[in-house]
Amino acid sequence: MRMRKSLGQHMLVNRRVIERIVSYAELGDDDVVLEVGCGTGNLTAELLKKCRVVGIEKDVRMIEKLKKKFNSEIRLGRLELVHGDALKVDFPFFTKFVSNIPYKISSPITFRLFKHKFKMAVVTYQREFAERLCREDNRLGVIARSYCSPEILEIVKPSSFRPKPKVESAVVRIKPEPLISVENKELFEKFVSFAFTMRRKRMGKIVQEFNSKFGFSIEIDSETSKRRPEELGAKKFAEIVDDIRTC
Ligand code: SAH
């Protein structure tokens, strides 16, 4: 028997998990779902029962399989397939984002999603990534809070995938309702990113370095200056940045 070349991709095969993912998205007739990385189309099929779907898939072999499997849905205009890299092609119009994404693009695809208008996203991530997204002791989680409210809905065991991955996964619901408000988003992201590259240092030192490197004059109270970035929380970061005056 010839071995198929491994793609390093894990297909979600547990029907009950797939059905729950679809129900979390609360899809109505009017919704248009964007699915990134349709793979063999297990999730796609379940989504198509509820509404129109646009899928972006990079692997041409998968595209060929999907075209056969969903021949009639494509003809009816219920499914549209885009062959391309979801990090590069323009996102088509969609109202909700539901995907078991390829884990290696978790971070860039999530930030890409944040730049779009959407009603809700239900995304299956690697568990570790999902947990970081939902906490506020790291760059990803802090910045995410300025765009949305993320929430882990369930943990998915490796046995729900084929082939079985080594790690656990988690289904996250993302509502586009920011948990914190920030006036200067660009500066917020720059400052938060800077702080977390020096996570061992205290905020006093970090602010000093940020000021001298970029010409700002941020001032923080002595209590805050003793803390490390991971102890600050998203709200405090936002307050600091919205206080910034350029020199
Ligand atoms: N959603 C399917 C498959 C998940 S595996 C399921 O749940 O079973 C991830 C899929 O994403 C694979 O089919 C892979 O070819 C595709 N993929 C990987 N990188 C991609 C990218 N940058 N853009 C679009 N699709 C990608």
Side-chain angles (χ1 to χ4, degrees):
M1 199 170 71
R2 267 206 311 152
M3 289 287 280
R4 250 193 112 240
K5 196 174 144 225
S6 165
L7 296 164
Q9 303 291 352
H10 305 279
M11 303 297 154
L12 188 52
V13 293
N14 184 322
R15 178 145 299 284
R16 263 172 294 178
V17 175
I18 294 172
E19 283 169 4
R20 282 201 298 275
I21 289 174
V22 173
S23 73
Y24 296 142
E26 296 168 7
L27 298 168
D29 280 350
D30 296 348
D31 280 312
V32 181
V33 167
L34 173 60
E35 186 191 2
V36 162
C38 304
T40 49
N42 294 337
L43 176 59
T44 320
E46 216 47 48
L47 291 167
L48 282 167
K49 290 182 186 168
K50 303 282 180 192
C51 65
R52 276 185 55 216
V53 177
V54 192
I56 305 177
E57 170 58 59
K58 193 166 131 179
D59 187 336
V60 70
R61 287 170 295 180
M62 292 298 178
I63 289 282
E64 291 311 320
K65 279 190 192 161
L66 292 162
K67 276 187 184 161
K68 284 203 188 97
K69 183 170 179 172
F70 299 115
N71 178 31
S72 62
E73 287 85 351
I74 292 170
R75 267 190 295 118
L76 290 168
R78 186 102 168 143
L79 173 65
E80 190 190 321
L81 290 174
V82 178
H83 175 216
D85 182 339
L87 297 179
K88 293 191 184 134
V89 298
D90 285 341
F91 278 4
F93 171 81
F94 67 102
T95 61
K96 293 184 177 172
F97 182 96
V98 184
S99 303
N100 166 31
I101 55 161
Y103 293 162
K104 60 177 183 299
I105 63 167
S106 296
S107 185
I109 203 74
T110 302
F111 280 104
R112 218 172 170 210
L113 173 67
F114 289 160
K115 307 286 175 197
H116 290 76
K117 197 167 165 284
F118 63 97
K119 287 202 284 184
M120 195 201 290
V122 178
V123 191
T124 309
Y125 293 107
Q126 188 170 326
R127 179 179 185 168
E128 195 264 345
F129 183 91
E131 287 176 345
R132 275 197 290 128
L133 182 65
C134 297
R135 289 198 314 259
E136 47 185 319
D137 62 354
N138 64 87
R139 172 184 175 270
L140 171 73
V142 169
I143 295 177
R145 278 166 186 255
S146 69
Y147 290 101
C148 70
S149 322
E151 180 193 0
I152 292 182
L153 299 177
E154 67 173 273
I155 302 300
V156 190
K157 293 257 176 293
S159 58
S160 292
F161 297 86
R162 291 286 179 279
K164 230 162 90 169
K166 289 200 177 70
V167 293
E168 286 186 318
S169 300
V171 180
V172 179
R173 175 166 52 209
I174 301 174
K175 290 188 177 165
E177 296 154 11
L179 287 164
I180 55 160
S181 77
V182 187
E183 270 172 46
N184 192 340
K185 256 195 155 124
E186 208 180 311
L187 193 55
F188 173 74
E189 289 182 26
K190 185 175 173 145
F191 181 63
V192 172
S193 302
F194 185 83
F196 280 106
T197 60
M198 316 183 168
R199 69 181 77 236
R200 299 251 146 61
K201 293 189 183 160
R202 294 177 197 279
M203 285 308 293
K205 178 82 179 147
I206 289 170
V207 164
Q208 211 179 43
E209 291 196 21
F210 190 80
N211 283 345
S212 74
K213 193 162 178 199
F214 299 108
F216 289 101
S217 56
I218 307 176
E219 284 172 24
I220 53 171
D221 57 79
S222 62
E223 203 41 56
T224 306
S225 69
K226 280 185 228 143
R227 295 208 242 143
R228 295 198 163 84
E230 62 204 28
E231 300 165 329
L232 221 56
K235 192 155 174 282
K236 191 75 202 173
F237 269 112
E239 281 167 21
I240 293 173
V241 170
D242 281 342
D243 255 11
I244 292 181
R245 306 278 177 273
T246 39
C247 288

Coordinates of all heavy atoms in Angstrom, one line a residue, residues 7-13 18 21 35-44 56-60 62 66 82-89 98-105 109 124 161-162, ligand 1:
L7 N -0.2 15.6 5.5 CA -0.3 17.1 5.3 C -0.2 17.8 6.6 O -0.2 19.0 6.7 CB -1.7 17.4 4.7 CG -1.9 16.9 3.3 CD1 -3.4 16.9 2.9 CD2 -1.1 17.7 2.3
G8 N 0.0 17.0 7.7 CA 0.1 17.6 9.0 C -1.3 18.3 9.4 O -1.3 19.2 10.2
Q9 N -2.4 17.9 8.8 CA -3.7 18.5 9.0 C -4.5 17.5 9.7 O -4.5 16.3 9.4 CB -4.3 18.9 7.8 CG -3.5 19.9 6.9 CD -3.4 21.2 7.6 OE1 -4.0 21.5 8.6 NE2 -2.5 22.1 7.0
H10 N -5.3 18.0 10.7 CA -6.2 17.1 11.4 C -7.7 17.4 11.2 O -8.1 18.5 11.4 CB -5.9 17.2 12.9 CG -4.4 17.0 13.2 ND1 -3.9 15.7 13.3 CD2 -3.4 17.8 13.3 CE1 -2.6 15.8 13.5 NE2 -2.2 17.1 13.5
M11 N -8.4 16.4 10.7 CA -9.8 16.6 10.3 C -10.6 16.3 11.5 O -10.4 15.3 12.2 CB -10.2 15.7 9.2 CG -9.3 15.9 7.9 SD -9.5 17.5 7.2 CE -7.9 17.6 6.3
L12 N -11.6 17.2 11.8 CA -12.5 16.9 12.9 C -13.5 15.9 12.4 O -14.2 16.1 11.4 CB -13.2 18.3 13.2 CG -14.1 18.4 14.5 CD1 -13.3 17.9 15.7 CD2 -14.5 19.8 14.6
V13 N -13.6 14.8 13.1 CA -14.5 13.7 12.7 C -15.6 13.4 13.6 O -16.5 12.6 13.3 CB -13.7 12.4 12.3 CG1 -12.8 12.7 11.1 CG2 -12.9 11.9 13.5
I18 N -19.0 18.4 16.0 CA -19.3 19.2 14.8 C -20.7 19.9 15.0 O -20.9 21.1 14.8 CB -19.2 18.4 13.5 CG1 -17.7 18.0 13.3 CG2 -19.7 19.2 12.3 CD1 -17.6 17.0 12.1
I21 N -20.6 22.7 17.5 CA -19.9 23.9 17.0 C -20.9 24.7 16.1 O -21.0 25.9 16.3 CB -18.7 23.5 16.1 CG1 -17.6 23.0 17.0 CG2 -18.2 24.6 15.2 CD1 -16.4 22.4 16.3
E35 N -15.7 29.9 6.2 CA -15.0 28.8 6.8 C -13.6 28.7 6.2 O -13.4 28.6 5.0 CB -15.7 27.4 6.6 CG -15.0 26.3 7.3 CD -15.4 24.9 6.9 OE1 -16.3 24.7 6.1 OE2 -14.9 23.9 7.5
V36 N -12.6 28.8 7.0 CA -11.2 28.8 6.6 C -10.7 27.3 6.8 O -10.7 26.8 7.9 CB -10.3 29.8 7.3 CG1 -8.9 29.5 7.2 CG2 -10.6 31.2 6.8
G37 N -10.2 26.7 5.7 CA -9.6 25.4 5.8 C -10.7 24.3 5.9 O -10.9 23.7 6.9
C38 N -11.5 24.2 4.8 CA -12.6 23.2 4.8 C -12.2 21.8 4.9 O -12.9 20.9 5.4 CB -13.5 23.4 3.6 SG -14.0 25.1 3.3
G39 N -10.9 21.5 4.4 CA -10.4 20.1 4.5 C -11.3 19.2 3.7 O -11.7 19.4 2.6
T40 N -11.8 18.1 4.4 CA -12.6 17.1 3.7 C -14.1 17.5 3.7 O -15.0 16.8 3.2 CB -12.5 15.7 4.3 OG1 -12.5 15.8 5.7 CG2 -11.1 15.1 3.9
G41 N -14.4 18.6 4.4 CA -15.8 19.2 4.4 C -16.7 18.6 5.4 O -17.9 18.8 5.3
N42 N -16.2 18.0 6.5 CA -17.1 17.5 7.5 C -17.9 18.6 8.2 O -19.1 18.5 8.4 CB -16.3 16.8 8.6 CG -15.7 15.5 8.1 OD1 -16.1 15.0 7.1 ND2 -14.6 15.1 8.7
L43 N -17.2 19.7 8.6 CA -17.9 20.8 9.2 C -18.7 21.6 8.1 O -19.8 22.0 8.4 CB -16.8 21.8 9.8 CG -17.3 23.1 10.5 CD1 -18.3 22.8 11.6 CD2 -16.1 23.9 11.0
T44 N -18.1 21.7 6.9 CA -18.8 22.4 5.8 C -20.2 21.8 5.6 O -21.2 22.6 5.5 CB -18.0 22.3 4.5 OG1 -16.6 22.4 4.8 CG2 -18.4 23.3 3.5
I56 N -12.6 29.0 2.2 CA -11.2 29.3 1.7 C -10.4 28.1 2.0 O -10.2 27.7 3.2 CB -10.6 30.5 2.2 CG1 -11.6 31.7 2.0 CG2 -9.3 30.8 1.5 CD1 -11.0 33.1 2.6
E57 N -9.8 27.4 1.0 CA -9.0 26.2 1.2 C -7.8 26.3 0.3 O -7.9 26.6 -0.9 CB -9.8 25.0 0.9 CG -9.1 23.7 0.8 CD -8.3 23.3 2.1 OE1 -8.9 23.2 3.2 OE2 -7.1 23.1 2.0
K58 N -6.6 26.0 0.9 CA -5.3 26.2 0.2 C -4.9 25.0 -0.6 O -4.3 25.2 -1.7 CB -4.3 26.5 1.3 CG -3.0 27.0 0.8 CD -2.2 27.5 2.0 CE -0.8 27.0 2.0 NZ 0.0 27.4 3.1
D59 N -5.3 23.9 -0.2 CA -4.8 22.6 -0.8 C -5.7 22.3 -2.0 O -6.9 22.0 -1.9 CB -4.9 21.5 0.2 CG -4.2 20.2 -0.3 OD1 -4.2 20.0 -1.5 OD2 -3.8 19.4 0.6
V60 N -5.1 22.2 -3.2 CA -5.9 22.0 -4.4 C -6.5 20.6 -4.4 O -7.6 20.4 -4.9 CB -5.0 22.2 -5.7 CG1 -4.0 21.1 -5.8 CG2 -5.9 22.3 -6.9
M62 N -7.8 19.1 -1.8 CA -9.0 19.2 -1.0 C -10.1 19.9 -1.8 O -11.2 19.6 -1.8 CB -8.7 20.0 0.3 CG -7.8 19.3 1.2 SD -8.5 17.8 1.8 CE -7.2 17.2 2.8
L66 N -13.8 18.6 -2.5 CA -14.9 19.4 -2.0 C -15.9 19.6 -3.2 O -17.1 19.6 -3.0 CB -14.5 20.7 -1.4 CG -13.7 20.6 -0.1 CD1 -12.9 21.9 0.2 CD2 -14.7 20.3 1.1
V82 N -13.2 29.1 -2.4 CA -12.1 30.0 -2.9 C -10.8 29.2 -2.7 O -10.5 28.7 -1.6 CB -12.0 31.3 -2.1 CG1 -10.8 32.1 -2.5 CG2 -13.3 32.0 -2.2
H83 N -10.1 28.9 -3.8 CA -8.8 28.2 -3.7 C -7.7 29.2 -3.4 O -7.4 30.0 -4.3 CB -8.5 27.4 -4.9 CG -7.2 26.8 -4.9 ND1 -6.4 26.6 -6.0 CD2 -6.5 26.2 -3.9 CE1 -5.3 26.0 -5.7 NE2 -5.3 25.8 -4.4
G84 N -7.2 29.2 -2.2 CA -6.2 30.2 -1.9 C -5.7 30.2 -0.4 O -6.3 29.4 0.4
D85 N -4.8 31.0 -0.1 CA -4.3 31.1 1.2 C -5.1 32.1 2.0 O -5.2 33.3 1.6 CB -2.8 31.6 1.1 CG -2.1 31.7 2.5 OD1 -2.8 31.8 3.5 OD2 -0.9 31.7 2.5
A86 N -5.7 31.7 3.1 CA -6.6 32.6 3.8 C -5.9 33.8 4.4 O -6.6 34.7 4.9 CB -7.3 31.8 4.9
L87 N -4.6 33.7 4.4 CA -3.9 34.9 5.0 C -3.7 35.9 3.9 O -3.3 37.1 4.1 CB -2.5 34.5 5.5 CG -2.6 33.6 6.8 CD1 -1.2 33.2 7.2 CD2 -3.4 34.2 7.9
K88 N -3.9 35.5 2.6 CA -3.6 36.4 1.5 C -4.8 36.9 0.7 O -4.9 38.0 0.3 CB -2.6 35.7 0.5 CG -1.2 35.5 1.2 CD -0.2 35.1 0.1 CE 1.2 34.8 0.8 NZ 1.7 33.6 0.3
V89 N -5.7 35.9 0.4 CA -6.9 36.3 -0.4 C -7.8 37.3 0.4 O -7.9 37.2 1.6 CB -7.7 35.1 -0.9 CG1 -6.8 34.2 -1.8 CG2 -8.3 34.3 0.2
V98 N -16.9 30.5 11.1 CA -16.9 29.2 11.8 C -15.9 28.3 11.2 O -16.0 28.0 10.0 CB -18.3 28.5 11.8 CG1 -18.3 27.2 12.6 CG2 -19.4 29.5 12.2
S99 N -14.8 27.9 11.9 CA -13.8 27.2 11.3 C -13.0 26.3 12.4 O -12.8 26.8 13.5 CB -12.7 28.1 10.7 OG -13.3 28.9 9.7
N100 N -12.6 25.2 11.9 CA -11.5 24.4 12.6 C -10.3 24.8 11.8 O -10.0 24.2 10.8 CB -11.9 22.9 12.5 CG -10.7 22.1 12.9 OD1 -9.9 22.5 13.7 ND2 -10.6 20.9 12.3
I101 N -9.6 25.8 12.2 CA -8.5 26.4 11.4 C -7.3 25.5 11.5 O -7.0 24.8 12.4 CB -8.2 27.8 11.9 CG1 -7.9 27.8 13.4 CG2 -9.3 28.8 11.5 CD1 -7.1 29.1 13.8
P102 N -6.4 25.7 10.5 CA -5.1 25.1 10.6 C -4.3 25.8 11.7 O -4.2 27.1 11.7 CB -4.4 25.4 9.2 CG -5.3 26.4 8.5 CD -6.6 26.4 9.2
Y103 N -3.9 25.1 12.7 CA -3.4 25.8 13.9 C -2.2 26.6 13.7 O -2.0 27.6 14.5 CB -3.1 24.7 15.0 CG -4.4 24.0 15.5 CD1 -4.3 22.8 16.2 CD2 -5.6 24.6 15.3 CE1 -5.5 22.2 16.6 CE2 -6.8 24.0 15.7 CZ -6.7 22.8 16.4 OH -7.8 22.2 16.8
K104 N -1.4 26.4 12.7 CA -0.2 27.2 12.5 C -0.5 28.6 12.1 O 0.3 29.5 12.2 CB 0.8 26.5 11.6 CG 0.4 26.3 10.2 CD 1.5 25.7 9.4 CE 1.2 25.5 7.9 NZ 0.0 24.5 7.7
I105 N -1.7 28.9 11.6 CA -2.0 30.2 11.3 C -3.0 30.9 12.3 O -3.6 31.9 12.0 CB -2.6 30.4 9.8 CG1 -3.9 29.6 9.6 CG2 -1.6 29.9 8.8 CD1 -4.7 30.0 8.3
I109 N -4.5 34.7 11.5 CA -5.9 34.6 10.9 C -6.9 35.3 11.9 O -7.9 35.9 11.5 CB -6.4 33.1 10.6 CG1 -7.5 33.1 9.6 CG2 -6.8 32.3 11.8 CD1 -7.1 33.4 8.2
T124 N -12.2 26.7 16.3 CA -11.5 25.6 17.0 C -10.0 25.9 16.9 O -9.5 26.0 15.8 CB -11.9 24.2 16.5 OG1 -13.3 24.1 16.4 CG2 -11.3 23.1 17.3
F161 N -10.3 13.8 16.3 CA -9.7 14.2 15.0 C -9.1 13.0 14.4 O -8.7 12.0 15.0 CB -8.6 15.2 15.3 CG -9.1 16.6 15.8 CD1 -9.2 16.7 17.2 CD2 -9.4 17.6 15.0 CE1 -9.7 17.9 17.7 CE2 -9.8 18.8 15.5 CZ -10.0 19.0 16.9
R162 N -8.9 13.0 13.0 CA -8.2 12.1 12.3 C -7.2 12.8 11.4 O -7.7 13.6 10.6 CB -9.1 11.2 11.4 CG -9.9 10.2 12.2 CD -9.2 9.0 12.8 NE -10.1 8.2 13.5 CZ -10.5 8.4 14.8 NH1 -10.0 9.5 15.4 NH2 -11.4 7.6 15.4
Ligands
SAH1 N1 -12.1 22.1 8.8 C1 -11.7 20.7 8.4 C2 -10.2 20.6 8.2 C3 -9.2 21.2 9.2 S1 -7.6 20.8 8.7 C4 -12.1 19.8 9.5 O1 -12.5 20.2 10.5 O2 -12.1 18.6 9.3 C5 -7.1 22.4 8.1 C6 -7.4 22.7 6.6 O3 -6.9 24.0 6.3 C7 -6.7 21.7 5.6 O4 -7.6 21.3 4.7 C8 -5.6 22.6 5.0 O5 -5.3 22.3 3.6 C9 -6.2 24.0 5.1 N2 -5.2 25.1 5.2 C10 -4.0 25.1 5.7 N3 -3.4 26.3 5.6 C11 -4.3 27.1 5.0 C12 -4.4 28.5 4.6 N4 -3.3 29.3 4.8 N5 -5.5 29.0 4.0 C13 -6.5 28.2 3.8 N6 -6.6 26.9 4.1 C14 -5.5 26.4 4.7

